[in-house]
Amino acid sequence: MEHALDELARILKAPQTGLRDRYGAIVLRPAENLATGLAIGVGFAIVHLVAG
């Protein structure tokens, strides 16, 4: 029982993660996908210009 209370106290003392930390990855993933898509599109456009 004492171990469980010590563990609970440790959890409660831990710093809380903010909304920015929690949801930052959710926002960052689509931004990464958009940047990757734009880079691929620009690459295809350059190849199309050089080949044509």
Side-chain angles (χ1 to χ4, degrees):
M1 181 70 182
E2 185 176 335
H3 179 68
L5 293 176
D6 290 340
E7 188 69 18
L8 181 60
R10 184 189 64 80
I11 291 170
L12 292 176
K13 288 180 184 176
Q16 299 295 319
T17 57
L19 289 177
R20 183 177 180 145
D21 295 336
R22 189 174 298 164
Y23 295 111
I26 295 172
V27 173
L28 190 59
R29 180 66 62 183
E32 290 173 352
N33 291 338
L34 179 63
T36 301
L38 287 174
I40 291 171
V42 168
F44 280 140
I46 290 170
V47 169
H48 184 68
L49 286 174
V50 170

